[in-house]
Amino acid sequence: MTTDVPTSPGAVTVSRGRTGRGRGRRRYQPREVAWAYAFVAPAIVLFAVMGVYTLFWGLQLSFVQWNGLTPTWLWVGLRNYTDLLWASPVFSPPVRAAALNTVWVMIAAPLLTVVISFPLALALNRARRFVGLLRSVYFVPYITTGIAVYLAWQYVLEPNGAINTLLGALGLGSLSQPQGWLGNPDTALPTLIVIMVWSAVPVATLLYLTGLQTIDPALTEAAQIDGASWWRVNLSVVWPLLRGITAVIVLLNLRDALQGFQIFLIMTDGGPGDHTNVLGLQTYRLAFQSELAPTLGLASALGWMLFVAAVLVAFVHLRVTRERR
Amino acid sequence: MNRYLPRSARTCLALATILALTGAVTACGPGGGGDSSSGDNLTMWTFKQSHVAALQKAAESFKQKTGVGVTVEAITPDDAFIARVQAAAQTRSLPDIFEVHTNGDDFTFGAAGLLEDLTEEATWTDRYLPSVAAEGTVTERYYKQSQEKGAKSAGIKLNQRFSVPLTIGTFGIVYANKERLTAAGVTESPKTWEDFVAALEAVRRARPQDGGLSIGFQAPTTGMEWLMQPMAYGKLGKAGFAGLFSNDPARNWTSANGRSVLESYHQVTPYWMPGTQTLTIDDADLAFAQGRSSFVVGGTFTLAFLSQNGMNPENIVTFPVPSPRGGTVPELSLAPFALTGLSVSATTKNKDGAVKWLEHLAQTDVASQFAKDALDVPPVNLGDDPTGTLGPVLGAMIGSFGSGVEAYNPGDTTHQPPSYDAAVVARSLMELTPLKKADVPTAAAGLQKIIDGYWAGK
């Protein structure tokens, strides 16, 4: 059933679908229209308050200097944006450093997730015994991901933690990190990326598994009859058929990498020093960790820049994948 | 679908929808969070969980005396507290009383019109120690600071009082494991920075695994404000120390003085406990209490935490961060300042009751009991023998406070540029130590670049 946009209140016309009782249009009575509006009103009001108003208010905030307390704010125009990008020696250097870290996360996290989850899904799809158990085991990181798991990882990664102990026991003590994996500025960010990937692989694997089960076995059998090896079948037949799922996985991970900061806040708070600060965390810091300095506008401006970046990334990614199809 | 419902059912459904919507909108409005109070019950917000039980105990005696109850709510951590106040300020659902960081939050909240000016009402301030009695008042220096471009407290007026002290103390106190110090041959508390470094070296040599110094660098200001700044004050004196934060190249971090301070600070680099750069303040204290480190730097408030976590106070040696040999202030001591204070909300419906609650907490017996319950130092003057009233631990801490120009006062921030964010500066300093990613000249240039930005008002 499709509903036309009403030209005036009380003049709503509804064209019935093909399964309806008739193809003709019927005019609703004003009272019926009023009822319709009454039932739709809560959703519209909630969206107007929680959605439109918040968006507009947030956008307005990005052009002002304010600490969230004073009854008035100072209009600064685009200065928040220029300060974050280049103009301020205080605010732009951490943003640039955080942007660089974010870019690394955006490259590494989706790539590693795909590289690990696709072969894992292929292997799980071939498994004939303990299928349910194996799939449950690989899904555990997803259902346990959260603050508790991040704290558990901290213990594993500290100087006397399980990883350093294990490396020592294996005679690989030279690879251990005396300051802990999160304490060394050179290993902290890669370690966090690995944990992000660990958290993302289960869903990606599940998506790939779903995709694999929709592929017509005749396609792979035909390739095998033509003499293609297992690798060749998966790379030249299966992988292209799952390109759409790969696009979704990459897009989800890009979004997480660009806007998510939970793991960075909980595990390192951007440290050591500023070596794992990312743009999402920098936004949080400007909003809530600046000791009531009037930086809420800067936080909002950075949030909007992240939004634009996310839209651009999604647009470019979708264009690229569509062209390949 | 509604066409298939009976008229009465439709009416009821529409009414229910409207009521639900009204309820939702009301819940979003002022007072919806249940924070408003009636006249005979006050609401108080604090960011210190350890103060809740002690305040509630004090509230019981207050209710017996006045008939006014006080509901105390802890909102932690500090970020959450600030965010809650920001939200409540917009929805006009503030509590009646706040616990605030003195000469910080109180001035910012006051400048925003969220607090009552207590100048007339606070008539009991002679009960406080003279050195902290005026804390929470806009003195000439804080007023001048508020006039700077970008100041957080812009709008406050001279002589306004936005809070009265609740707890006092200081930071820059080194806690050392007495047994380990003695076993390493260190029998006296270090008197100079060099002695301190030598003690670190001796204990580390004796105990390579757990002989280090811990500090909660996940809050990066700890290293800078608790360890380096007292040492810098001792080395350069008050004027030289203030010069470090100026934009004068002859006196700031890039000067000979600045580099000299950084070189001294860098001497502790080999002695950090492994992984200290990832620890929170509580984690660092726990590491010391559990024996994973042999030194920790903290404040007066640290002792209570160590004691609560199983550290025997008799096995602790404490001393203020010492001055380097040949420093301008050789006998460095630490001045107490008001750590937290009490403020009355401008939206309270019972200002009289709120002020009486503040006065109640300043009574000697109530303040003493609060101090013992919260294991914190009270601002009230307890006479020459605080030990008799508060017990040996808190009493000894009060006895160690200094005053005058020989005492470093961490609460004095008048040398800082407007909008100064210590966390940003301290993160830059971490590149020198403990991260070892920058040498002294690079670290000095990095610090100064940020501070120059604040002076430029960016």
Side-chain angles (χ1 to χ4, degrees), chain A residues 28 31-32 35 39 42 50 66-71 88-91 159 178-179 182-183 185-186 267-269 272-275 284-285 288-293 296, chain B residues 2-3 7 10-11 13-14 17 21 28 79 82-83 85-86 89-90 105 108-109 112 114 150 152 218 274-275 277-278 421 427 430-431 435 437 450 453-454 458:
Chain A
Y28 279 94
R31 222 179 61 195
E32 289 176 312
W35 275 112
F39 278 100
M50 302 296 181
W66 192 46
N67 69 356
L69 293 173
T70 51
S88 167
V90 173
F91 299 117
Q179 298 296 326
L182 298 175
D186 298 325
M267 292 192 68
T268 61
D269 199 14
D274 228 4
H275 290 272
Y284 180 81
R285 279 180 178 174
F288 302 115
Q289 292 185 330
S290 58
E291 297 182 353
L292 289 172
L296 268 178
Chain B
N2 59 328
R3 289 189 295 122
R7 179 186 292 270
R10 272 187 278 161
T11 308
L13 197 57
T17 308
L21 190 62
C28 296
D79 308 347
I82 294 296
V85 174
Q86 284 172 325
Q90 297 309 308
D105 298 347
T108 312
F109 292 172
L114 305 185
K152 298 172 192 174
Q218 202 177 98
Q277 57 266 48
T278 63
D421 188 340
R427 275 189 208 105
M430 280 182 69
E431 296 296 296
L435 300 183
K437 300 292 277 186
I450 298 169
Y454 289 123
K458 293 285 185 184

Coordinates of all heavy atoms in Angstrom, one line a residue, chain A residues 28 31-32 35 39 42 50 66-71 88-91 159 178-179 182-183 185-186 267-269 272-275 284-285 288-293 296, chain B residues 2-3 7 10-11 13-14 17 21 28 79 82-83 85-86 89-90 105 108-109 112 114 150 152 218 274-275 277-278 421 427 430-431 435 437 450 453-454 458:
Chain A
Y28 N -10.6 9.8 2.5 CA -10.9 9.6 3.9 C -11.6 10.8 4.5 O -11.4 11.9 4.0 CB -9.6 9.3 4.7 CG -9.1 7.9 4.6 CD1 -8.1 7.6 3.6 CD2 -9.6 7.0 5.5 CE1 -7.7 6.3 3.5 CE2 -9.1 5.7 5.4 CZ -8.2 5.3 4.4 OH -7.8 4.0 4.3
R31 N -12.4 13.2 10.0 CA -12.2 12.6 11.4 C -11.2 11.5 11.3 O -10.4 11.3 12.2 CB -13.6 12.2 11.9 CG -13.7 12.5 13.4 CD -15.0 12.1 13.9 NE -15.2 10.6 13.8 CZ -16.3 10.0 14.0 NH1 -17.4 10.7 14.2 NH2 -16.4 8.7 13.9
E32 N -11.3 10.7 10.3 CA -10.4 9.6 10.1 C -8.9 10.1 10.0 O -8.0 9.5 10.6 CB -10.8 8.7 8.9 CG -12.1 7.9 9.1 CD -12.4 7.2 7.9 OE1 -12.4 7.8 6.8 OE2 -12.7 6.0 8.0
W35 N -7.7 11.2 13.3 CA -7.2 10.0 14.1 C -5.9 9.5 13.6 O -5.0 9.2 14.4 CB -8.2 8.8 13.9 CG -9.4 9.0 14.9 CD1 -10.7 9.2 14.6 CD2 -9.3 8.8 16.3 NE1 -11.5 9.3 15.7 CE2 -10.6 9.0 16.8 CE3 -8.3 8.6 17.2 CZ2 -10.9 9.0 18.2 CZ3 -8.6 8.6 18.6 CH2 -9.9 8.8 19.0
F39 N -2.4 9.3 15.9 CA -1.6 8.2 16.2 C -0.2 8.3 15.7 O 0.8 7.7 16.3 CB -2.2 6.9 15.6 CG -3.3 6.3 16.5 CD1 -4.7 6.6 16.2 CD2 -3.0 5.6 17.6 CE1 -5.7 6.1 17.0 CE2 -4.0 5.1 18.4 CZ -5.3 5.3 18.1
P42 N 2.8 11.0 18.2 CA 3.8 10.7 19.1 C 5.2 10.5 18.5 O 6.2 11.0 18.9 CB 3.3 9.5 19.9 CG 1.8 9.5 19.7 CD 1.6 10.2 18.4
M50 N 13.8 14.6 19.7 CA 15.1 13.8 19.9 C 16.0 13.9 18.6 O 17.2 13.7 18.7 CB 14.8 12.3 20.2 CG 13.9 12.1 21.4 SD 14.8 12.7 22.9 CE 13.6 12.3 24.1
W66 N 31.3 27.7 24.5 CA 30.4 27.5 25.6 C 30.9 26.4 26.5 O 31.6 25.4 26.0 CB 29.0 27.1 25.1 CG 27.9 27.2 26.1 CD1 27.6 28.1 27.0 CD2 26.9 26.2 26.2 NE1 26.5 27.8 27.7 CE2 26.0 26.6 27.3 CE3 26.6 25.0 25.6 CZ2 24.9 25.9 27.7 CZ3 25.5 24.3 26.0 CH2 24.6 24.7 27.1
N67 N 30.6 26.4 27.8 CA 31.1 25.3 28.7 C 29.9 24.5 29.2 O 30.1 23.7 30.1 CB 31.9 25.9 29.8 CG 31.1 26.7 30.8 OD1 29.9 26.9 30.6 ND2 31.8 27.1 31.9
G68 N 28.7 24.8 28.7 CA 27.5 24.0 29.1 C 26.9 24.5 30.4 O 25.9 23.9 30.8
L69 N 27.4 25.6 30.9 CA 26.8 26.0 32.2 C 26.2 27.4 32.1 O 25.2 27.7 32.7 CB 27.9 26.1 33.3 CG 28.5 24.7 33.7 CD1 29.6 24.9 34.6 CD2 27.4 23.9 34.4
T70 N 26.9 28.3 31.4 CA 26.5 29.7 31.4 C 25.2 29.9 30.6 O 24.9 29.1 29.7 CB 27.6 30.6 30.7 OG1 27.9 30.0 29.4 CG2 28.8 30.7 31.5
P71 N 24.4 30.8 31.0 CA 23.1 31.0 30.3 C 23.2 31.5 28.9 O 22.3 31.4 28.1 CB 22.4 32.1 31.2 CG 23.4 32.7 32.0 CD 24.5 31.8 32.1
S88 N 44.6 26.8 15.8 CA 45.0 26.8 17.2 C 46.2 25.9 17.5 O 46.2 24.7 17.2 CB 43.8 26.4 18.1 OG 44.3 26.2 19.4
P89 N 47.3 26.5 18.1 CA 48.4 25.6 18.5 C 48.1 24.7 19.6 O 48.8 23.8 19.9 CB 49.5 26.7 18.8 CG 48.8 27.9 19.2 CD 47.5 27.9 18.4
V90 N 46.9 25.0 20.3 CA 46.5 24.1 21.4 C 45.7 23.0 20.9 O 45.9 21.8 21.3 CB 45.8 25.0 22.5 CG1 45.2 24.1 23.6 CG2 46.7 26.0 23.1
F91 N 44.7 23.3 20.1 CA 43.7 22.3 19.8 C 44.0 21.5 18.5 O 43.6 20.3 18.4 CB 42.3 22.9 19.6 CG 41.8 23.6 20.9 CD1 41.6 24.9 21.0 CD2 41.6 22.8 22.0 CE1 41.2 25.5 22.2 CE2 41.2 23.4 23.2 CZ 41.0 24.7 23.3
P159 N 52.7 -5.7 32.1 CA 54.1 -6.3 32.1 C 54.2 -7.7 32.6 O 55.0 -8.5 32.1 CB 54.9 -5.3 33.0 CG 54.1 -4.0 32.9 CD 52.7 -4.4 32.7
P178 N 58.5 -5.1 28.2 CA 58.8 -4.9 29.7 C 57.8 -3.8 30.3 O 57.5 -3.9 31.4 CB 60.2 -4.4 29.7 CG 60.8 -4.8 28.4 CD 59.7 -4.9 27.4
Q179 N 57.4 -2.9 29.4 CA 56.4 -1.9 29.9 C 55.0 -2.3 29.7 O 54.1 -1.5 29.9 CB 56.7 -0.5 29.2 CG 58.1 0.0 29.5 CD 58.3 0.4 30.9 OE1 57.4 0.8 31.6 NE2 59.5 0.2 31.4
L182 N 50.4 -2.3 26.4 CA 49.7 -1.0 26.3 C 50.6 0.2 26.8 O 50.3 1.3 26.7 CB 48.4 -1.0 27.1 CG 47.4 -2.0 26.6 CD1 46.2 -2.0 27.5 CD2 47.0 -1.7 25.1
G183 N 51.7 -0.2 27.4 CA 52.6 0.8 28.0 C 53.7 1.3 27.0 O 54.2 2.4 27.2
P185 N 54.6 3.0 23.7 CA 53.9 3.8 22.7 C 53.9 3.2 21.3 O 53.0 3.4 20.5 CB 54.7 5.1 22.7 CG 55.4 5.2 23.9 CD 55.7 3.7 24.4
D186 N 54.9 2.3 21.0 CA 55.0 1.7 19.7 C 54.0 0.5 19.5 O 53.7 0.1 18.4 CB 56.4 1.3 19.4 CG 57.4 2.4 19.4 OD1 56.9 3.5 18.9 OD2 58.5 2.3 19.8
M267 N 40.5 1.3 27.9 CA 41.8 0.5 28.1 C 43.0 1.4 28.2 O 44.0 1.1 28.9 CB 42.0 -0.4 26.9 CG 41.0 -1.6 26.9 SD 41.4 -2.9 25.8 CE 42.9 -3.5 26.5
T268 N 43.0 2.6 27.6 CA 44.2 3.5 27.7 C 43.9 4.9 28.0 O 44.8 5.7 28.3 CB 45.0 3.4 26.4 OG1 44.2 3.9 25.3 CG2 45.5 2.0 26.0
D269 N 42.6 5.3 27.8 CA 42.3 6.7 27.9 C 43.2 7.6 26.9 O 43.6 8.7 27.3 CB 42.3 7.2 29.3 CG 41.5 8.5 29.5 OD1 40.7 8.8 28.6 OD2 41.7 9.2 30.5
P272 N 49.6 5.5 26.2 CA 50.4 6.3 27.1 C 50.7 7.7 26.4 O 50.9 7.7 25.2 CB 51.7 5.5 27.3 CG 51.8 4.6 26.1 CD 50.4 4.3 25.7
G273 N 50.7 8.7 27.2 CA 50.8 10.1 26.7 C 49.5 10.3 25.8 O 48.4 10.3 26.3
D274 N 49.8 10.5 24.6 CA 48.6 10.7 23.6 C 48.7 9.7 22.5 O 48.1 10.0 21.4 CB 48.7 12.1 23.1 CG 47.4 12.9 23.2 OD1 46.5 12.3 23.8 OD2 47.3 14.0 22.7
H275 N 49.4 8.6 22.7 CA 49.7 7.7 21.6 C 48.5 6.8 21.0 O 48.7 6.2 20.0 CB 50.9 6.8 21.9 CG 52.2 7.7 22.0 ND1 53.0 7.9 20.9 CD2 52.7 8.3 23.0 CE1 54.0 8.7 21.3 NE2 53.9 8.9 22.6
Y284 N 35.2 13.4 22.9 CA 34.8 13.2 24.3 C 35.6 14.0 25.3 O 35.1 14.6 26.2 CB 34.9 11.7 24.6 CG 34.5 11.3 26.0 CD1 33.2 11.1 26.3 CD2 35.5 11.2 27.0 CE1 32.8 10.8 27.6 CE2 35.1 10.8 28.3 CZ 33.7 10.6 28.6 OH 33.3 10.3 29.9
R285 N 36.9 14.1 25.0 CA 37.8 14.9 25.9 C 37.4 16.3 25.9 O 37.3 17.0 26.9 CB 39.2 14.7 25.5 CG 39.9 13.5 25.9 CD 41.3 13.5 25.4 NE 42.1 12.3 25.9 CZ 43.3 12.1 25.5 NH1 43.9 12.9 24.6 NH2 43.9 11.0 25.9
F288 N 33.9 16.6 27.7 CA 33.7 16.2 29.1 C 34.9 16.2 30.0 O 34.8 15.9 31.2 CB 33.0 14.9 29.2 CG 31.6 14.8 28.5 CD1 31.5 14.0 27.3 CD2 30.6 15.6 28.9 CE1 30.3 14.0 26.7 CE2 29.4 15.6 28.2 CZ 29.2 14.8 27.1
Q289 N 36.1 16.3 29.4 CA 37.3 16.2 30.2 C 38.2 17.4 30.1 O 39.4 17.4 30.3 CB 38.1 15.0 29.7 CG 37.5 13.6 30.0 CD 38.3 12.4 29.6 OE1 39.2 12.5 28.7 NE2 38.2 11.3 30.3
S290 N 37.5 18.6 29.9 CA 38.4 19.8 29.7 C 38.2 20.7 30.9 O 38.4 21.9 30.9 CB 38.0 20.5 28.4 OG 36.6 20.8 28.5
E291 N 37.8 20.1 32.1 CA 37.7 20.8 33.3 C 36.9 22.1 33.2 O 37.3 23.2 33.6 CB 39.1 21.1 33.9 CG 39.8 19.9 34.2 CD 41.2 20.1 34.8 OE1 41.6 21.3 34.9 OE2 41.8 19.1 35.3
L292 N 35.7 22.0 32.5 CA 34.8 23.1 32.3 C 35.3 24.2 31.5 O 34.7 25.3 31.5 CB 34.3 23.6 33.7 CG 33.4 22.6 34.4 CD1 33.1 23.1 35.8 CD2 32.0 22.4 33.7
A293 N 36.3 24.0 30.7 CA 36.8 25.0 29.8 C 35.7 25.1 28.7 O 35.0 24.1 28.4 CB 38.1 24.6 29.1
L296 N 32.8 23.0 24.5 CA 31.7 22.1 24.0 C 31.5 22.4 22.5 O 31.2 21.5 21.8 CB 30.5 22.4 24.8 CG 30.2 21.5 26.0 CD1 28.9 22.0 26.7 CD2 30.1 20.1 25.6
Chain B
N2 N -7.6 1.8 13.3 CA -8.5 2.3 14.3 C -10.0 2.3 13.9 O -10.8 2.3 14.7 CB -8.1 3.8 14.6 CG -8.2 4.7 13.4 OD1 -8.0 4.2 12.3 ND2 -8.6 5.9 13.5
R3 N -10.2 2.2 12.6 CA -11.6 2.1 12.1 C -12.3 0.8 12.6 O -13.5 0.8 12.6 CB -11.6 2.2 10.6 CG -11.3 3.6 10.0 CD -11.5 3.7 8.6 NE -10.6 2.8 7.8 CZ -11.0 1.9 7.0 NH1 -12.3 1.7 6.8 NH2 -10.2 1.2 6.3
R7 N -15.7 2.9 19.2 CA -15.4 4.3 19.5 C -14.8 4.5 20.9 O -13.8 5.2 21.1 CB -16.7 5.1 19.4 CG -16.6 6.6 19.7 CD -17.9 7.2 19.8 NE -18.5 7.3 18.4 CZ -18.3 8.3 17.6 NH1 -17.6 9.3 17.9 NH2 -18.9 8.2 16.4
R10 N -11.3 3.4 21.0 CA -10.4 4.4 20.2 C -10.1 5.6 21.1 O -9.0 6.1 21.2 CB -11.1 4.9 19.0 CG -10.8 4.0 17.8 CD -11.4 4.6 16.5 NE -12.8 4.3 16.4 CZ -13.7 4.9 15.6 NH1 -13.3 6.0 15.0 NH2 -14.9 4.6 15.5
T11 N -11.2 6.1 21.8 CA -11.1 7.2 22.7 C -10.0 6.9 23.8 O -9.2 7.7 24.1 CB -12.4 7.6 23.3 OG1 -13.4 7.7 22.3 CG2 -12.3 8.9 24.1
L13 N -7.7 4.7 23.8 CA -6.4 4.5 23.2 C -5.7 5.9 22.9 O -4.5 6.1 23.3 CB -6.5 3.7 21.9 CG -5.2 3.1 21.3 CD1 -4.6 2.2 22.4 CD2 -5.5 2.3 20.1
A14 N -6.5 6.8 22.4 CA -6.0 8.1 22.1 C -5.6 8.8 23.4 O -4.5 9.4 23.5 CB -7.0 8.9 21.3
T17 N -2.5 7.4 24.7 CA -1.3 7.9 23.9 C -0.9 9.3 24.4 O 0.3 9.6 24.6 CB -1.7 7.9 22.4 OG1 -2.2 6.7 22.0 CG2 -0.5 8.3 21.6
L21 N 2.5 10.4 26.1 CA 3.4 11.4 25.5 C 3.6 12.5 26.5 O 4.8 13.0 26.7 CB 2.7 11.9 24.3 CG 3.6 12.8 23.4 CD1 4.8 12.0 22.9 CD2 2.7 13.4 22.2
C28 N 11.2 14.7 30.6 CA 12.4 15.4 30.0 C 12.5 16.8 30.6 O 13.6 17.4 30.4 CB 12.3 15.5 28.5 SG 12.2 13.9 27.7
D79 N 34.1 13.3 35.6 CA 33.6 13.7 34.3 C 32.1 13.5 34.3 O 31.3 14.4 33.8 CB 34.1 12.7 33.2 CG 35.6 12.6 33.1 OD1 36.2 13.4 33.8 OD2 36.0 11.7 32.4
I82 N 30.5 16.4 36.3 CA 30.4 17.6 35.5 C 29.3 17.6 34.5 O 28.5 18.5 34.3 CB 31.8 17.9 34.8 CG1 32.8 18.2 35.9 CG2 31.7 19.1 33.9 CD1 32.6 19.4 36.7
A83 N 29.2 16.4 33.8 CA 28.2 16.3 32.7 C 26.8 16.3 33.3 O 25.9 16.9 32.8 CB 28.4 14.9 32.0
V85 N 25.9 18.0 36.1 CA 25.7 19.4 36.4 C 25.3 20.2 35.2 O 24.4 21.0 35.2 CB 26.9 20.0 37.2 CG1 26.7 21.5 37.4 CG2 27.1 19.3 38.5
Q86 N 26.1 19.9 34.1 CA 25.8 20.6 32.9 C 24.3 20.4 32.4 O 23.6 21.3 32.1 CB 26.7 20.2 31.8 CG 28.1 20.8 31.9 CD 29.1 20.2 30.9 OE1 29.0 19.0 30.6 NE2 30.0 21.0 30.4
A89 N 21.8 21.9 34.8 CA 21.8 23.4 34.7 C 20.8 23.8 33.6 O 20.1 24.8 33.6 CB 23.2 24.0 34.4
Q90 N 20.8 23.0 32.5 CA 19.9 23.3 31.4 C 18.5 23.0 31.7 O 17.6 23.7 31.2 CB 20.4 22.5 30.1 CG 21.8 22.8 29.7 CD 22.0 24.3 29.5 OE1 21.2 25.0 28.8 NE2 23.0 24.9 30.1
D105 N 35.8 24.5 40.3 CA 34.4 24.3 39.9 C 33.5 25.4 40.5 O 32.6 25.9 39.9 CB 33.8 22.9 40.5 CG 34.6 21.7 39.9 OD1 35.3 21.9 38.9 OD2 34.4 20.6 40.5
T108 N 33.6 28.5 38.5 CA 33.0 28.3 37.2 C 31.5 28.2 37.3 O 30.7 28.8 36.5 CB 33.5 27.0 36.5 OG1 35.0 27.0 36.6 CG2 33.2 27.0 35.0
F109 N 31.0 27.4 38.3 CA 29.6 27.3 38.5 C 29.0 28.7 38.9 O 27.9 29.1 38.5 CB 29.3 26.3 39.6 CG 29.6 24.9 39.3 CD1 29.5 23.9 40.3 CD2 29.9 24.5 38.0 CE1 29.8 22.5 40.0 CE2 30.2 23.1 37.7 CZ 30.2 22.2 38.7
A112 N 28.5 31.0 36.2 CA 27.4 30.7 35.3 C 26.1 30.9 36.0 O 25.0 30.7 35.5 CB 27.5 29.2 34.9
L114 N 25.0 29.5 38.8 CA 24.4 28.3 39.4 C 24.4 28.3 40.9 O 23.8 27.5 41.5 CB 25.1 27.1 38.9 CG 25.2 26.9 37.3 CD1 25.8 25.5 37.0 CD2 23.8 27.0 36.7
G150 N 39.1 34.0 27.6 CA 38.9 32.6 27.6 C 38.9 31.9 29.0 O 38.9 30.7 29.1
K152 N 37.8 30.3 32.5 CA 36.6 29.5 32.8 C 35.7 30.2 33.8 O 34.5 29.9 33.8 CB 37.1 28.2 33.4 CG 38.0 27.3 32.5 CD 38.5 26.2 33.3 CE 39.6 25.5 32.5 NZ 40.3 24.4 33.2
Q218 N 47.9 7.4 33.9 CA 46.8 7.5 33.0 C 46.1 8.9 33.2 O 45.4 9.4 32.4 CB 45.8 6.3 33.2 CG 44.9 6.1 32.0 CD 44.0 4.9 32.1 OE1 42.8 5.1 32.4 NE2 44.5 3.7 31.9
P274 N 57.6 -0.7 36.0 CA 57.2 -1.1 34.7 C 55.7 -0.9 34.5 O 54.9 -1.4 35.3 CB 57.6 -2.5 34.5 CG 58.7 -2.7 35.5 CD 58.4 -1.8 36.7
G275 N 55.3 -0.3 33.4 CA 53.9 -0.1 33.1 C 53.2 1.0 33.9 O 51.9 1.1 33.8
Q277 N 53.0 4.0 33.3 CA 52.3 4.9 32.3 C 50.9 4.5 32.0 O 50.2 5.3 31.4 CB 53.2 5.1 31.1 CG 53.5 3.9 30.3 CD 54.8 3.3 30.7 OE1 55.1 3.1 31.8 NE2 55.6 2.9 29.7
T278 N 50.5 3.3 32.3 CA 49.2 2.8 32.0 C 48.2 2.8 33.2 O 47.1 2.5 33.1 CB 49.2 1.4 31.4 OG1 49.7 0.5 32.4 CG2 50.1 1.3 30.2
D421 N 45.0 23.9 30.4 CA 44.5 22.6 30.6 C 45.7 21.7 31.0 O 46.5 21.4 30.1 CB 43.8 22.0 29.3 CG 43.1 20.7 29.6 OD1 43.5 20.0 30.6 OD2 42.2 20.3 28.8
R427 N 50.5 15.6 29.3 CA 50.7 14.5 28.3 C 51.9 14.8 27.4 O 52.7 13.9 27.1 CB 49.4 14.4 27.3 CG 48.3 13.6 27.9 CD 47.2 13.4 26.9 NE 46.0 13.2 27.6 CZ 45.0 14.0 27.7 NH1 45.1 15.2 27.1 NH2 43.9 13.8 28.4
M430 N 55.0 13.8 29.3 CA 55.2 12.3 29.4 C 56.1 11.8 28.3 O 56.7 10.8 28.4 CB 53.8 11.6 29.3 CG 53.1 11.6 30.6 SD 51.5 10.7 30.5 CE 52.2 9.0 30.3
E431 N 56.2 12.6 27.2 CA 57.2 12.2 26.2 C 58.6 12.1 26.7 O 59.4 11.3 26.2 CB 57.1 13.1 25.0 CG 55.7 13.1 24.3 CD 55.3 11.8 23.7 OE1 56.0 11.4 22.7 OE2 54.3 11.2 24.1
L435 N 58.0 8.0 29.0 CA 58.0 7.3 27.7 C 59.3 7.4 26.9 O 59.5 6.6 26.0 CB 56.9 8.0 26.8 CG 55.4 7.8 27.4 CD1 54.4 8.4 26.4 CD2 55.1 6.4 27.7
K437 N 60.4 9.3 24.7 CA 60.3 9.6 23.3 C 60.8 11.0 22.9 O 60.9 11.3 21.7 CB 58.8 9.5 22.8 CG 58.1 8.2 23.1 CD 58.7 7.1 22.2 CE 58.0 7.1 20.9 NZ 58.5 5.9 20.1
I450 N 52.6 24.6 23.7 CA 51.2 24.5 24.2 C 50.9 25.7 25.1 O 49.9 26.4 25.0 CB 51.0 23.2 25.0 CG1 51.3 22.0 24.1 CG2 49.6 23.1 25.6 CD1 51.4 20.7 24.8
G453 N 50.3 28.8 23.3 CA 49.0 28.8 22.7 C 47.9 29.3 23.7 O 47.0 30.1 23.3
Y454 N 48.0 28.9 25.0 CA 47.1 29.4 26.0 C 47.2 30.9 26.2 O 46.2 31.6 26.3 CB 47.3 28.7 27.3 CG 46.9 27.2 27.3 CD1 47.7 26.2 27.6 CD2 45.6 26.9 26.9 CE1 47.4 24.9 27.6 CE2 45.2 25.5 26.9 CZ 46.1 24.6 27.2 OH 45.7 23.2 27.2
K458 N 44.1 31.1 22.3 CA 43.5 30.2 21.3 C 42.7 29.1 22.0 O 43.3 28.2 22.6 CB 44.6 29.6 20.4 CG 45.2 30.6 19.6 CD 44.3 31.1 18.4 CE 45.1 32.0 17.5 NZ 44.2 32.5 16.4

